[in-house]
């Protein structure tokens, strides 16, 4: 994506320039009618402008009133522009990311393979779903697909921003490749799984630039509320005029328009769309592609989170943590034999055994054991090791496999072996037994380490009422230990793919919103069933198509942050809505006395701000109503700062900060504006 410097900037010069242009472009009534609140403001501007030139239609006469109508019209015009600008800034940030992504979508050449293996060079946009292509070192992968043969390193930095290449191979969960990425070693045969124009990159571009953005259910509900409030206040203003005439109060048409604009929730009306766009933008800048705004919003409502143990809660690589002797065996002998058996073991477990043995002072001379015959681990034997030149054998493996081997060779099983192995299992580790010929020396304690910081993060989720459930294929004993260490609320041991779906459905049947992560084909049904499904970009095409979010960095723990971003979106929308409705109160105290004080002197008691003149009061309220929109754009874009807490406490905090602030800020702002414009009002003889 874009570089980190640009990512960190709130707004660039280019976005600012384009947003100003878009703000004017959005003045088209066909576009404005999609935002009914601001459409009413635009109609008010047109009427005020018309009154400037032909005031007699409504009985508004006099040159001074022409100037007043013009000033009201200009302020309303600026109000609409500011609202359009807020939305344009949000869209501009997304379009800037989209342009960065489009640079990776080049006119790529594809090496199409026929049934005989012959290569035909064609343009990538001519590829069809099901075609097989060859991509070699230095080639750009022409479209999304699945690796059917070969193994190679693929540079995905154009999409993920991550510089480290990713290994791709046929079979398993790392067979999916994305169009626009580059092969940096070896070669792959790829079966195309997407038609031109509908690749993952194309979807990303469309979603990021907002072309596919649809309003979320909560956004639609709030928009409906704003429309209802607008209609109610429109009726109030229409009925106010005959009441004023009956009370012998002369109200200019522009004043009625100003009163309407100040009464309706223009602040949130101008920012609502920007808040929704910015929510998706924040997720995208976190390197997660949300397939819809609804997915982001659903994150904010999540009640239950289902997480895989391996790779999410734990690192997934079992690493050597200790060497435990049995019987009368010597600790150094156990360490040396374990190291020798692991010298040619390239697995993470094997490398960690050598590393731990070196730290603990092994006396093994590595050069002496270079040419030994290494026996690899298999699912059938469940052990590995080496055959020494003197005819003796060293093996390390599961408790069952090693004890069976020793018994066949007429060896004795140490009395304390089973107890030690069970103790390691209870700790959530894996016991790896070491034997030389028919003698058992001890156990290597392999530990699947819980990722640092997860305990605190799970506690944070618990504070906001989200339950966490760990899924693992481990036995119940090991699962319980890991669950306790990680701090999750529950676990499902010996979990199969269908068990995940069952768990999701159970939570959903209780009315809960469920989130989960996955990367394999077997995770696809569960990802589709969950309300929020986060698939790993390194995973299979099936998983990515089933999910409604894709993590470009393939970090399963990111679901924790994504949920908080969703919460932040909902809180931001709620906070600014509270502020918008609350600041109308101050505007009532500015305009109502200004309109009626002349005929009803008792109304002066409502002029708590001691505003200078009726016209300065109306114009001050109208100016504040306009300028508050751009002042709130940074909050709409960045979101209200979110801290995990109970919903009741969060509601109380927002009511105090944004509710009370929404009342106090306009009182201060309107008074300051009144002091500034009063001399101008008097010069224009509007007082």
């Amino acid at each position: 994506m874009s570089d980190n410097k640009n990512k960190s900037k709130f707004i660039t010069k280019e976005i600012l320039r384009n947003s100003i242009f878009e703000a004017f472009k959005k003045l088209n009534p066909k576009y404005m009618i999609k935002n009914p609140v601001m459409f009413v403001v635009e109609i008010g501007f047109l009427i005020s402008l018309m009154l400037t030139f032909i005031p007699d239609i409504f009985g508004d006469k006099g040159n001074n009133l022409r100037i007043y109508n013009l000033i009201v019209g200009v302020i309303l015009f600026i109000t609409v522009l500011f609202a359009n600008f807020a939305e344009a800034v949000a869209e501009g940030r997304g379009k800037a990311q989209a342009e960065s992504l489009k640079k990776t979508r080049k006119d790529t050449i594809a090496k199409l393979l026929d049934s005989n293996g012959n290569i035909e060079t064609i343009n990538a946009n001519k590829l069809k779903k099901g075609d097989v292509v060859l991509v070699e070192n230095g080639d750009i992968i022409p479209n999304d697909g699945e690796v059917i043969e070969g193994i190679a390193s693929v540079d995905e930095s154009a999409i993920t921003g991550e510089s480290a290449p990713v290994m791709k191979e046929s079979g398993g969960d790392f067979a999916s490749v994305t169009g626009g990425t580059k092969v940096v070693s070896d070669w792959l045969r790829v079966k195309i799984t997407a038609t031109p124009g509908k690749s993952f990159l194309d979807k990303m571009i469309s979603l990021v630039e907002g072309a596919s953005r649809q309003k979320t259910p909560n956004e639609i509900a709030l928009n409906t509320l704003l429309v209802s409030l607008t209609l109610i206040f429109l009726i109030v203003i229409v009925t106010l005029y005959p009441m004023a005439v009956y009370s012998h109060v002369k109200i200019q048409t522009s004043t009625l328009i100003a009163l309407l604009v100040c009464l309706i929730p223009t602040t949130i009306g101008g920012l609502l769309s920007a808040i929704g766009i910015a929510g998706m933008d924040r997720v995208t800048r976190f390197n997660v592609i949300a397939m819809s705004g609804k997915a982001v919003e659903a994150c904010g409502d999540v009640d239950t989170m289902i997480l895989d143990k391996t790779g999410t809660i734990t690192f997934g690589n079992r690493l050597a943590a200790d060497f435990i002797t049995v019987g009368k065996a010597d600790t150094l002998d156990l360490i040396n034999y374990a190291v020798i058996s692991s010298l040619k073991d390239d697995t993470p477990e094997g490398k960690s055994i050598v590393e731990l043995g070196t730290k603990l002072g092994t006396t093994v001379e590595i050069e002496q054991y270079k040419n030994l015959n290494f026996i690899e681990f298999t699912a059938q034997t469940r052990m590995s090791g080496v055959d020494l030149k003197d005819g003796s054998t060293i093996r390390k493996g599961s408790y069952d496999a090693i004890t069976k081997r020793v018994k066949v060779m007429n060896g004795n099983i140490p009395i304390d072996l089973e107890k030690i192995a069970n103790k390691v299992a209870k700790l959530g580790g894996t016991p790896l037994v070491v034997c030389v010929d028919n003698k058992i020396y001890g156990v290597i304690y392999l530990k699947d380490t819980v990722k640092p910081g997860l305990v605190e993060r799970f506690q944070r989720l618990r504070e906001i009422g989200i339950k966490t459930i760990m899924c693992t294929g481990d036995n119940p004993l090991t699962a319980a230990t890991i669950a306790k260490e990680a701090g999750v609320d529950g676990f499902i041991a010996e979990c199969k793919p269908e068990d995940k779906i069952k768990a999701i459905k159970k939570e959903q049947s209780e009315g809960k919103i469920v989130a989960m992560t996955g990367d394999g084909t077997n995770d696809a049904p569960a990802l589709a069933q969950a309300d929020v499904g986060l698939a790993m970009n390194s995973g299979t095409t099936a998983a990515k198509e089933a999910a409604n979010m894709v993590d470009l960095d393939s970090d399963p723990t990111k679901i924790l942050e994504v949920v908080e971003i969703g919460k932040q979106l909902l809180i931001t929308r709620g906070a600014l809505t509270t502020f918008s409705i609350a600041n109308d109160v101050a505007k009532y105290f500015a305009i109502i006395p200004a309109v009626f004080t002349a005929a009803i002197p008792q109304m002066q008691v409502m002029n708590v701000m001691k505003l200078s003149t009726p016209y300065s009061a109306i114009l001050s309220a109208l100016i504040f109503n306009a300028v508050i929109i751009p002042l709130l754009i940074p909050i709409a874009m960045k979101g209200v700062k979110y801290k995990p807490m109970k919903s009741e406490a969060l509601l109380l905090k927002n009511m105090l900060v944004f509710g009370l602030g929404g009342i106090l800020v306009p009182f201060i702002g309107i008074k300051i504006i009144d002091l500034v414009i009063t001399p101008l009002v008097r010069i224009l003889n509007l007082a």
Side-chain angles (χ1 to χ4, degrees):
M1 291 190 177
S2 58
D3 56 58
N4 291 332
K5 185 178 179 181
N6 285 337
K7 276 187 177 184
S8 63
K9 283 186 177 180
F10 166 64
I11 184 170
T12 64
K13 289 181 180 179
E14 185 178 357
I15 292 175
L16 178 62
R17 184 171 58 252
N18 291 338
S19 296
I20 293 171
F21 173 76
E22 284 294 319
F24 281 93
K25 189 176 176 183
K26 290 175 184 289
L27 290 171
N28 187 331
K30 289 183 179 179
Y31 183 86
M32 289 300 301
I33 201 168
K34 295 176 183 177
N35 187 343
V37 176
M38 300 315 299
F39 182 66
V40 169
V41 180
E42 185 174 46
I43 295 297
F45 152 66
L46 294 174
I47 294 173
S48 298
L49 186 65
M50 184 172 60
L51 291 174
T52 304
F53 300 103
I54 45 174
D56 287 343
I57 290 178
F58 295 95
D60 295 339
K61 300 180 180 179
N63 290 329
N64 291 343
L65 285 180
R66 287 176 183 268
I67 296 172
Y68 172 66
N69 292 337
L70 178 62
I71 293 172
V72 170
V74 169
I75 296 171
L76 294 180
F77 179 71
I78 292 171
T79 304
V80 177
L81 274 183
F82 281 158
N84 289 348
F85 178 74
E87 184 175 355
V89 168
E91 291 175 344
R93 283 160 62 91
K95 288 176 180 177
Q97 286 182 289
E99 287 302 317
S100 177
L101 289 169
K102 285 176 182 177
K103 292 176 183 177
T104 68
R105 190 175 59 180
K106 304 169 184 175
D107 290 332
T108 311
I109 299 300
K111 299 173 182 175
L112 179 65
L113 295 171
D114 61 20
S115 56
N116 298 319
N118 298 318
I119 297 175
E120 179 187 356
T121 302
I122 64 170
N123 196 294
N125 59 24
K126 294 182 179 179
L127 288 173
K128 301 185 297 295
K129 192 173 181 179
D131 284 345
V132 177
V133 297
L134 173 68
V135 281
E136 299 174 294
N137 186 11
D139 290 347
I140 301 292
I141 296 174
N143 208 337
D144 296 356
E146 296 275 355
V147 178
I148 58 175
E149 187 181 350
I151 179 170
S153 294
V154 176
D155 178 7
E156 297 184 330
S157 60
I159 294 175
T160 67
E162 178 59 51
S163 58
V166 179
M167 193 63 68
K168 297 288 184 178
E169 58 185 320
S170 60
D173 294 340
F174 293 92
S176 172
V177 291
T178 306
T181 56
K182 185 178 181 180
V183 176
V184 292
S185 76
D186 304 295
W187 57 271
L188 298 170
R189 290 181 192 268
V190 177
K191 184 177 181 180
I192 301 300
T193 57
T195 54
K198 295 188 177 180
S199 68
F200 181 63
L201 185 59
D202 291 311
K203 290 178 184 177
M204 283 171 61
I205 292 169
S206 178
L207 289 162
V208 168
E209 66 184 0
S212 298
R213 191 186 106 81
Q214 295 179 331
K215 289 185 178 180
T216 63
N218 282 352
E219 196 175 345
I220 292 170
L222 182 55
N223 199 53
T224 303
L225 173 63
L226 299 183
V227 171
S228 301
L229 289 173
T230 301
L231 288 173
I232 290 170
F233 285 122
L234 187 59
I235 294 169
V236 169
I237 296 302
V238 170
T239 56
L240 185 64
Y241 188 79
M243 290 173 61
V245 171
Y246 179 79
S247 302
H248 305 290
V249 177
K250 175 64 177 175
I251 304 179
Q252 283 76 30
T253 306
S254 291
T255 298
L256 287 174
I257 293 171
L259 180 58
L260 174 63
V261 169
C262 287
L263 287 175
I264 64 178
T266 50
T267 305
I268 188 61
L271 294 171
L272 183 59
S273 183
I275 294 169
I277 296 169
M280 287 191 70
D281 178 61
R282 282 196 296 277
V283 171
T284 305
R285 288 173 183 274
F286 202 59
N287 255 11
V288 172
I289 296 298
M291 297 306 179
S292 68
K294 186 178 179 181
V296 180
E297 194 171 87
C299 287
D301 291 325
V302 165
D303 301 297
T304 304
M305 196 179 297
I306 295 178
L307 303 155
D308 276 325
K309 184 203 80 171
T310 306
T312 305
I313 294 174
T314 64
F315 283 105
N317 295 330
R318 299 172 302 166
L319 305 178
D322 198 8
F323 297 102
I324 307 170
T325 58
V326 294
K328 295 181 179 179
D330 182 74
T331 302
L332 186 57
D333 287 341
L334 171 61
I335 294 173
N336 286 341
Y337 288 130
V339 169
I340 293 169
S341 67
S342 305
L343 288 174
K344 289 191 174 183
D345 186 349
D346 290 328
T347 64
E349 293 93 334
K351 291 178 180 178
S352 72
I353 291 170
V354 175
E355 185 179 344
L356 181 62
T358 303
K359 286 181 181 178
L360 296 178
T362 180
T363 57
V364 172
E365 295 289 339
I366 295 175
E367 293 296 325
Q368 296 179 14
Y369 299 95
K370 271 191 171 182
N371 299 320
L372 294 179
N373 179 35
F374 176 67
I375 310 300
E376 291 189 9
F377 177 89
T378 66
Q380 290 74 33
T381 63
R382 297 174 66 196
M383 68 176 79
S384 64
V386 293
D387 295 335
L388 301 179
K389 292 178 180 179
D390 62 6
S392 58
T393 60
I394 305 174
R395 295 291 185 270
K396 65 177 191 292
S398 69
Y399 172 84
D400 293 338
I402 295 297
T403 53
K404 183 179 179 181
R405 174 184 172 85
V406 169
K407 286 177 181 178
V408 169
M409 298 178 71
N410 298 317
N412 295 319
I413 307 300
I415 298 173
D416 55 349
L417 177 62
E418 184 176 2
K419 182 180 178 182
I420 291 171
N422 286 338
K423 182 180 178 182
V424 170
K426 285 180 181 178
L427 292 171
T430 301
L432 210 58
V433 182
V434 178
C435 72
V436 180
D437 295 330
N438 64 354
K439 181 181 178 181
I440 296 176
Y441 279 79
V443 172
I444 304 170
Y445 174 16
L446 297 180
K447 185 179 181 182
D448 192 358
T449 310
V450 172
K451 292 183 176 180
L454 278 187
V455 175
E456 293 78 11
R457 288 158 84 183
F458 286 139
Q459 176 61 31
R460 205 163 71 219
L461 291 173
R462 197 174 295 110
E463 288 172 359
I464 57 178
I466 296 177
K467 180 171 74 173
T468 50
I469 299 174
M470 179 185 78
C471 292
T472 176
D474 290 336
N475 61 65
L477 196 63
T478 302
T481 305
I482 294 290
K484 184 178 179 182
E485 185 180 346
V488 294
D489 299 311
F491 65 89
I492 304 171
E494 298 174 346
C495 183
K496 300 181 286 295
E498 55 268 27
D499 294 329
K500 294 179 184 178
I501 299 176
K502 186 178 178 182
I504 292 170
K505 287 183 176 179
K506 179 178 179 296
E507 294 293 319
Q508 289 174 332
S509 68
E510 298 172 4
K512 296 177 180 177
I513 304 296
V514 183
M516 78 156 288
T517 62
D519 59 3
T521 301
N522 62 349
D523 290 325
L527 287 168
Q529 180 66 40
D531 300 284
V532 178
L534 180 66
M536 303 298 103
N537 189 45
S538 61
T540 61
T541 301
K544 287 189 279 189
E545 289 180 349
N548 51 20
M549 286 186 166
V550 178
D551 175 23
L552 301 180
D553 296 329
S554 301
D555 176 7
T557 63
K558 199 179 284 186
I559 186 72
L560 304 174
E561 280 84 3
V562 170
V563 165
E564 291 195 349
I565 290 173
K567 292 277 185 189
Q568 187 186 37
L569 168 63
L570 295 180
I571 290 166
T572 301
R573 188 182 294 149
L576 291 183
T577 301
T578 302
F579 183 90
S580 176
I581 294 173
N583 73 25
D584 286 343
V585 175
K587 288 179 278 186
Y588 302 158
F589 280 94
I591 292 186
I592 298 298
V595 172
F596 291 99
T597 298
I600 311 173
Q602 292 85 348
M603 291 288 290
Q604 184 63 29
V605 74
M606 291 183 64
N607 186 15
V608 294
M609 288 179 273
K610 305 299 179 185
L611 302 178
S612 305
T613 70
Y615 286 110
S616 71
I618 293 167
L619 294 176
S620 296
L622 211 54
I623 291 170
F624 177 85
N625 193 62
V627 299
I628 195 64
I629 294 176
L631 291 177
L632 290 175
I633 289 177
I635 296 177
M637 296 293 102
K638 296 179 180 179
V640 174
K641 190 174 182 181
Y642 172 68
K643 288 184 179 179
M645 60 179 70
K646 295 292 183 182
S647 55
E648 297 84 359
L650 192 62
L651 177 62
L652 181 61
K653 178 189 173 186
N654 284 339
M655 289 297 290
L656 286 172
V657 175
F658 290 93
L660 190 59
I663 293 173
L664 294 178
V665 170
F667 273 93
I668 298 169
I670 291 172
K671 180 61 179 177
I672 292 172
I673 295 170
D674 178 72
L675 292 173
V676 172
I677 69 169
T678 295
L680 179 63
V681 169
R682 286 174 176 157
I683 290 171
L684 295 174
N685 199 25
L686 293 175

mmCIF file of all heavy atoms in Angstrom, residues 415-428:
data_model
loop_
_atom_site.group_PDB
_atom_site.id
_atom_site.type_symbol
_atom_site.label_atom_id
_atom_site.label_comp_id
_atom_site.label_asym_id
_atom_site.label_seq_id
_atom_site.Cartn_x
_atom_site.Cartn_y
_atom_site.Cartn_z
ATOM 1 N N ILE A 415 10.357 -46.175 36.077
ATOM 2 C CA ILE A 415 9.127 -46.058 36.857
ATOM 3 C C ILE A 415 8.547 -44.644 36.803
ATOM 4 O O ILE A 415 7.330 -44.454 36.770
ATOM 5 C CB ILE A 415 9.393 -46.462 38.333
ATOM 6 C CG1 ILE A 415 9.849 -47.915 38.402
ATOM 7 C CG2 ILE A 415 8.151 -46.256 39.195
ATOM 8 C CD1 ILE A 415 10.301 -48.360 39.768
ATOM 9 N N ASP A 416 9.423 -43.644 36.805
ATOM 10 C CA ASP A 416 8.946 -42.255 36.863
ATOM 11 C C ASP A 416 8.652 -41.630 35.502
ATOM 12 O O ASP A 416 8.268 -40.461 35.416
ATOM 13 C CB ASP A 416 9.950 -41.385 37.612
ATOM 14 C CG ASP A 416 11.356 -41.474 37.021
ATOM 15 O OD1 ASP A 416 11.592 -42.361 36.177
ATOM 16 O OD2 ASP A 416 12.221 -40.660 37.421
ATOM 17 N N LEU A 417 8.828 -42.392 34.412
ATOM 18 C CA LEU A 417 8.642 -41.832 33.065
ATOM 19 C C LEU A 417 7.197 -41.382 32.822
ATOM 20 O O LEU A 417 6.952 -40.262 32.357
ATOM 21 C CB LEU A 417 9.061 -42.845 32.000
ATOM 22 C CG LEU A 417 8.849 -42.380 30.539
ATOM 23 C CD1 LEU A 417 9.697 -41.148 30.249
ATOM 24 C CD2 LEU A 417 9.180 -43.511 29.563
ATOM 25 N N GLU A 418 6.239 -42.251 33.135
ATOM 26 C CA GLU A 418 4.837 -41.926 32.874
ATOM 27 C C GLU A 418 4.397 -40.704 33.676
ATOM 28 O O GLU A 418 3.688 -39.828 33.170
ATOM 29 C CB GLU A 418 3.949 -43.118 33.212
ATOM 30 C CG GLU A 418 2.476 -42.883 32.867
ATOM 31 C CD GLU A 418 1.613 -44.115 33.122
ATOM 32 O OE1 GLU A 418 2.145 -45.135 33.591
ATOM 33 O OE2 GLU A 418 0.397 -44.047 32.850
ATOM 34 N N LYS A 419 4.852 -40.626 34.934
ATOM 35 C CA LYS A 419 4.499 -39.507 35.793
ATOM 36 C C LYS A 419 5.036 -38.191 35.228
ATOM 37 O O LYS A 419 4.337 -37.168 35.196
ATOM 38 C CB LYS A 419 5.056 -39.752 37.196
ATOM 39 C CG LYS A 419 4.713 -38.657 38.195
ATOM 40 C CD LYS A 419 5.307 -38.973 39.565
ATOM 41 C CE LYS A 419 5.008 -37.841 40.551
ATOM 42 N NZ LYS A 419 5.614 -38.115 41.874
ATOM 43 N N ILE A 420 6.302 -38.223 34.762
ATOM 44 C CA ILE A 420 6.920 -37.019 34.190
ATOM 45 C C ILE A 420 6.221 -36.602 32.898
ATOM 46 O O ILE A 420 5.956 -35.418 32.664
ATOM 47 C CB ILE A 420 8.430 -37.247 33.962
ATOM 48 C CG1 ILE A 420 9.153 -37.342 35.318
ATOM 49 C CG2 ILE A 420 9.036 -36.131 33.121
ATOM 50 C CD1 ILE A 420 10.595 -37.784 35.223
ATOM 51 N N ALA A 421 5.912 -37.595 32.048
ATOM 52 C CA ALA A 421 5.234 -37.304 30.779
ATOM 53 C C ALA A 421 3.864 -36.667 31.025
ATOM 54 O O ALA A 421 3.472 -35.705 30.352
ATOM 55 C CB ALA A 421 5.087 -38.573 29.953
ATOM 56 N N ASN A 422 3.119 -37.194 32.008
ATOM 57 C CA ASN A 422 1.794 -36.642 32.331
ATOM 58 C C ASN A 422 1.905 -35.229 32.895
ATOM 59 O O ASN A 422 1.065 -34.367 32.629
ATOM 60 C CB ASN A 422 1.076 -37.543 33.334
ATOM 61 C CG ASN A 422 0.568 -38.822 32.687
ATOM 62 O OD1 ASN A 422 0.380 -38.871 31.473
ATOM 63 N ND2 ASN A 422 0.369 -39.858 33.489
ATOM 64 N N LYS A 423 2.965 -35.001 33.692
ATOM 65 C CA LYS A 423 3.177 -33.683 34.279
ATOM 66 C C LYS A 423 3.412 -32.632 33.182
ATOM 67 O O LYS A 423 2.874 -31.528 33.229
ATOM 68 C CB LYS A 423 4.367 -33.724 35.233
ATOM 69 C CG LYS A 423 4.631 -32.399 35.938
ATOM 70 C CD LYS A 423 5.831 -32.495 36.869
ATOM 71 C CE LYS A 423 6.106 -31.154 37.536
ATOM 72 N NZ LYS A 423 7.305 -31.221 38.422
ATOM 73 N N VAL A 424 4.233 -33.013 32.178
ATOM 74 C CA VAL A 424 4.492 -32.111 31.050
ATOM 75 C C VAL A 424 3.191 -31.819 30.298
ATOM 76 O O VAL A 424 2.911 -30.678 29.926
ATOM 77 C CB VAL A 424 5.552 -32.710 30.102
ATOM 78 C CG1 VAL A 424 5.638 -31.898 28.807
ATOM 79 C CG2 VAL A 424 6.911 -32.760 30.778
ATOM 80 N N ALA A 425 2.372 -32.870 30.081
ATOM 81 C CA ALA A 425 1.099 -32.706 29.375
ATOM 82 C C ALA A 425 0.160 -31.780 30.138
ATOM 83 O O ALA A 425 -0.527 -30.937 29.550
ATOM 84 C CB ALA A 425 0.443 -34.056 29.150
ATOM 85 N N LYS A 426 0.133 -31.911 31.480
ATOM 86 C CA LYS A 426 -0.728 -31.065 32.311
ATOM 87 C C LYS A 426 -0.308 -29.598 32.234
ATOM 88 O O LYS A 426 -1.122 -28.701 32.406
ATOM 89 C CB LYS A 426 -0.685 -31.540 33.759
ATOM 90 C CG LYS A 426 -1.476 -32.818 34.014
ATOM 91 C CD LYS A 426 -1.395 -33.237 35.474
ATOM 92 C CE LYS A 426 -2.160 -34.532 35.700
ATOM 93 N NZ LYS A 426 -2.066 -34.992 37.115
ATOM 94 N N LEU A 427 0.970 -29.370 31.977
ATOM 95 C CA LEU A 427 1.477 -28.008 31.847
ATOM 96 C C LEU A 427 1.182 -27.418 30.468
ATOM 97 O O LEU A 427 1.551 -26.288 30.171
ATOM 98 C CB LEU A 427 2.987 -27.976 32.115
ATOM 99 C CG LEU A 427 3.424 -28.268 33.565
ATOM 100 C CD1 LEU A 427 4.947 -28.420 33.647
ATOM 101 C CD2 LEU A 427 2.947 -27.166 34.496
ATOM 102 N N GLY A 428 0.528 -28.224 29.620
ATOM 103 C CA GLY A 428 0.201 -27.755 28.280
ATOM 104 C C GLY A 428 1.300 -28.004 27.272
ATOM 105 O O GLY A 428 1.242 -27.505 26.150
#
